[in-house]
Amino acid sequence: MKLLMKSALAATILFGAKVEAAEKSKVEAEIINEDEQKFGDENAVEPGMAPDHFLYFLDRFTEKVQLAFTRDDEKEAKLLMDFAKERLAESDKMADAEKDQYITDLIDAYVANLEAAEEHVALVVMDDAKDQVSKEQLTDTLEKVITMETSSKVDDVIDEAKKQELVEKKQDAYLLANSLRDLDQEQVKMLREQGFGFGEIVKVVVFAKEGNKTEAEIVAMLKEENKGFGEIANELQINPADLLKNIMREKEKFVEKAIEEAEESGNVEAVNELAKSLERIQKEQIALSMAKEFGDVEQRVNKKLQRIKEKVAAGQMSQEVADRKIKQIQQQAEKKMDKFHKEAKEDADEIAEALEESKEEALEEQQEQAKKAEKAEKKAQEKLEKEQTKQQEKEKKLQQKEEEQAEKVAEKAKEEQEKAEEKAKKEQEKAAEKAKEEQEKAAEKAKKEQEKAAEKAKKEQEKAAEKAKKEQEKAAEKEQRNDEEDEGEDD
């Protein structure tokens, strides 16, 4: 309910519907007290160094340095949105301290950061490389920053022109956050080349669609006829509230389709995130209807109060009767408001219940898919084990076959070796026998040679002995002759 009431006030701020101060206080009380712990304050931010601090310029300079060193559009968009939230928090702080001179500048800084963030958000959403969940989260963050409220004290300080400017800037940002996904890339490129920013491009495309015009005709109205978007909206009878309803319907369809795709793919995380977006969209639709109802009731009450005032002024009604009637009108208005709150809460409860059912279904689907995946994994594991067993058996048989072949080869090699050894032995024996025969022949031959030599030596010895004998005999005969000659001479 807190989020619902907050959205109602956001719709009031964005589209200019007014609620009586007493009624607004009642709504704000509900925001504070009802479901506080369940939802929390998603947009709460602590203000940084106050603008009246003498070092505040250093705080802002640090922000500029952070932006200067950030090259990622998504990160830069988040930084700018954080800075925008800080400026609003600082404006509340200054209002509480009754330092009104800083507030207008802080609101201007909030708007400037918001506009800069829009461009980077647009670049991320138009980037096909970015996943859809990241884009949705970023545009959701932008919506939350857009729907942040200024305090009543801040509202009392800023003038009507600034309030109107703030409303228009928030309208533009909301339109951009929810229309980017439908833009054609080539169309955007063409309009960017003509000098239009993303916020202006979104307006050109949306106004063309809602006003049954072409983009070129809207561009001509802006450039050639020198008309502003406000004039064009009036001329084409484009109502911001109706425009928002159409955007919300389109966004609702888009998110529902994204949820279906996420469910089919089994992405539970994406389902939960998208379901939250869908819940918020549906509650924003309820809030918008509430804002319209508040506005209608306020108009009727104001008309009745004006008529009573006129009658009192004309003397046609006493002040006592007027006070009684005013009290009755206020009571009737409060009953209607209570009825709207009750119906809105019932609708919000139905949305929350549907979200829980969606989450439960997604969880059940995830569990079912997990079971299927586990079963498939088990089956795959069993198949793998069978394949491994089969492969092992195959490898074992192959190994056995190889071992048998190796044994046969070894046995054959052994046989060959034995044959070779046998052959070598025989050849060795044959060679030994032949060598023996050769040796015997050589010995026989040597013996014969020796005998022949001995015989020859004997013969030569005998011959020499014979010769020596003859020489001896000859010498003896010579000596005898010499003796005989000597004897003869003696005689």
Side-chain angles (χ1 to χ4, degrees), residues 407-464:
E407 286 177 1
K408 287 180 180 179
V409 170
E411 189 176 344
K412 188 176 180 180
K414 187 179 179 182
E415 289 175 359
E416 292 291 335
Q417 186 179 2
E418 288 175 351
K419 285 180 181 180
E421 288 174 354
E422 185 68 26
K423 186 178 179 181
K425 186 179 179 182
K426 286 180 179 180
E427 287 178 353
Q428 188 178 7
E429 288 175 353
K430 190 175 179 181
E433 189 177 344
K434 187 176 179 180
K436 186 179 179 183
E437 287 177 357
E438 292 290 333
Q439 188 178 7
E440 287 175 352
K441 283 180 181 180
E444 185 67 28
K445 185 178 178 181
K447 186 179 179 182
K448 286 180 179 180
E449 290 290 332
Q450 189 178 6
E451 288 175 352
K452 190 175 179 180
E455 189 176 347
K456 184 178 179 181
K458 186 179 178 183
K459 285 180 179 181
E460 286 179 356
Q461 188 179 5
E462 286 176 352
K463 190 175 178 180

Side-chain angles (χ1 to χ4, degrees), residues 469-485:
K469 186 178 177 182
K470 285 180 178 179
E471 288 290 331
Q472 190 178 8
E473 285 179 350
K474 190 174 178 180
E477 285 177 358
K478 185 176 180 181
E479 186 179 354
Q480 186 176 1
R481 277 193 304 268
N482 288 335
D483 287 340
E484 287 177 351
E485 288 177 355

Side-chain angles (χ1 to χ4, degrees), residues 226-278:
N226 200 28
K227 293 180 179 178
F229 282 107
E231 289 180 88
I232 297 172
N234 289 332
E235 185 176 325
L236 300 179
Q237 296 182 340
I238 296 173
N239 186 296
D242 293 336
L243 192 60
L244 179 62
K245 285 180 182 178
N246 294 338
I247 289 171
M248 284 183 174
R249 279 196 293 268
E250 291 299 320
K251 187 177 179 182
E252 186 176 14
K253 290 177 184 177
F254 177 84
V255 175
E256 284 175 346
K257 185 178 178 182
I259 289 173
E260 288 177 7
E261 291 173 355
E263 286 175 344
E264 288 174 4
S265 65
N267 190 342
V268 176
E269 184 180 352
V271 170
N272 290 338
E273 287 297 323
L274 291 166
K276 289 177 184 176
S277 294
L278 182 61

Side-chain angles (χ1 to χ4, degrees), residues 3 41-42 89 95 107 152 163 168 172 178-179 193 226 265 274 278 286 296 305 310 316 342 353 387 405 439 478 483:
L3 182 59
D41 193 346
E42 296 175 342
I107 296 300
S152 57
K163 287 178 185 177
E168 289 174 359
D172 292 348
N178 291 284
S179 303
E193 287 172 354
N226 200 28
S265 65
L274 291 166
L278 182 61
I286 295 171
D296 291 343
L305 293 177
E310 289 172 355
Q316 297 174 358
K342 184 179 178 181
E353 187 178 343
E387 291 291 334
Q405 288 178 344
Q439 188 178 7
K478 185 176 180 181
D483 287 340

Side-chain angles (χ1 to χ4, degrees), residues 9 34 53 133 136 153 183 267-268 362 441-442:
L9 290 177
E34 193 167 336
H53 195 284
V133 173
E136 283 297 317
K153 290 181 180 179
L183 297 181
N267 190 342
V268 176
K441 283 180 181 180

Side-chain angles (χ1 to χ4, degrees), residues 51-52 60 87-111 150-159 162 166:
D52 60 338
R60 297 291 288 271
R87 297 299 85 82
L88 280 191
E90 288 165 4
S91 70
D92 289 345
K93 187 174 181 179
M94 290 295 94
D96 289 338
E98 297 183 354
K99 295 181 179 180
D100 300 348
Q101 67 271 27
Y102 297 101
I103 292 174
T104 299
D105 288 341
L106 288 169
I107 296 300
D108 288 339
Y110 162 79
V111 170
T150 53
S151 69
S152 57
K153 290 181 180 179
V154 171
D155 291 340
D156 291 339
V157 173
I158 57 177
D159 58 31
K162 185 61 65 178
L166 189 58

Side-chain angles (χ1 to χ4, degrees), residues 214-419:
T214 64
E215 284 80 14
E217 287 175 320
I218 300 297
V219 170
M221 293 172 78
L222 289 166
K223 290 192 171 184
E224 295 172 14
E225 299 178 27
N226 200 28
K227 293 180 179 178
F229 282 107
E231 289 180 88
I232 297 172
N234 289 332
E235 185 176 325
L236 300 179
Q237 296 182 340
I238 296 173
N239 186 296
D242 293 336
L243 192 60
L244 179 62
K245 285 180 182 178
N246 294 338
I247 289 171
M248 284 183 174
R249 279 196 293 268
E250 291 299 320
K251 187 177 179 182
E252 186 176 14
K253 290 177 184 177
F254 177 84
V255 175
E256 284 175 346
K257 185 178 178 182
I259 289 173
E260 288 177 7
E261 291 173 355
E263 286 175 344
E264 288 174 4
S265 65
N267 190 342
V268 176
E269 184 180 352
V271 170
N272 290 338
E273 287 297 323
L274 291 166
K276 289 177 184 176
S277 294
L278 182 61
E279 180 187 28
R280 187 166 50 77
I281 293 164
Q282 291 170 339
K283 287 185 176 181
E284 284 173 354
Q285 289 175 323
I286 295 171
L288 184 63
S289 298
M290 285 180 66
K292 185 178 182 302
E293 295 289 354
F294 290 166
D296 291 343
V297 169
E298 181 189 14
Q299 285 181 358
R300 288 195 293 271
V301 168
N302 287 339
K303 285 180 181 179
K304 290 178 181 179
L305 293 177
Q306 184 61 32
R307 284 198 296 270
I308 292 172
K309 185 178 178 181
E310 289 172 355
K311 287 182 179 180
V312 171
Q316 297 174 358
M317 184 182 295
S318 66
Q319 188 62 49
E320 184 181 352
V321 174
D323 291 340
R324 189 168 60 251
K325 285 185 174 292
I326 289 171
K327 186 177 180 180
Q328 289 174 350
I329 291 169
Q330 288 176 339
Q331 288 173 345
Q332 289 172 356
E334 286 176 4
K335 285 181 181 179
K336 287 182 180 179
M337 293 298 183
D338 289 339
K339 182 182 177 183
F340 296 152
H341 290 162
K342 184 179 178 181
E343 291 174 352
K345 188 177 185 309
E346 288 173 355
D347 291 340
D349 289 343
E350 287 179 9
I351 291 168
E353 187 178 343
L355 175 64
E356 287 302 317
E357 288 177 2
S358 177
K359 286 181 180 178
E360 288 175 5
E361 288 173 3
L363 183 60
E364 288 174 3
E365 180 66 22
Q366 184 187 33
Q367 290 172 345
E368 184 64 29
Q369 289 187 2
K371 287 180 182 178
K372 287 180 181 178
E374 186 181 354
K375 190 176 180 181
E377 186 179 355
K378 187 177 179 182
K379 191 174 180 181
Q381 185 64 31
E382 289 174 355
K383 186 178 179 181
L384 179 62
E385 288 174 357
K386 285 180 181 178
E387 291 291 334
Q388 287 176 340
T389 304
K390 191 176 179 181
Q391 184 66 23
Q392 287 171 355
E393 289 175 355
K394 189 177 179 180
E395 288 175 357
K396 189 176 179 181
K397 286 180 180 178
L398 182 63
Q399 187 177 0
Q400 287 176 349
K401 190 175 180 180
E402 288 175 351
E403 288 174 355
E404 288 173 0
Q405 288 178 344
E407 286 177 1
K408 287 180 180 179
V409 170
E411 189 176 344
K412 188 176 180 180
K414 187 179 179 182
E415 289 175 359
E416 292 291 335
Q417 186 179 2
E418 288 175 351
K419 285 180 181 180

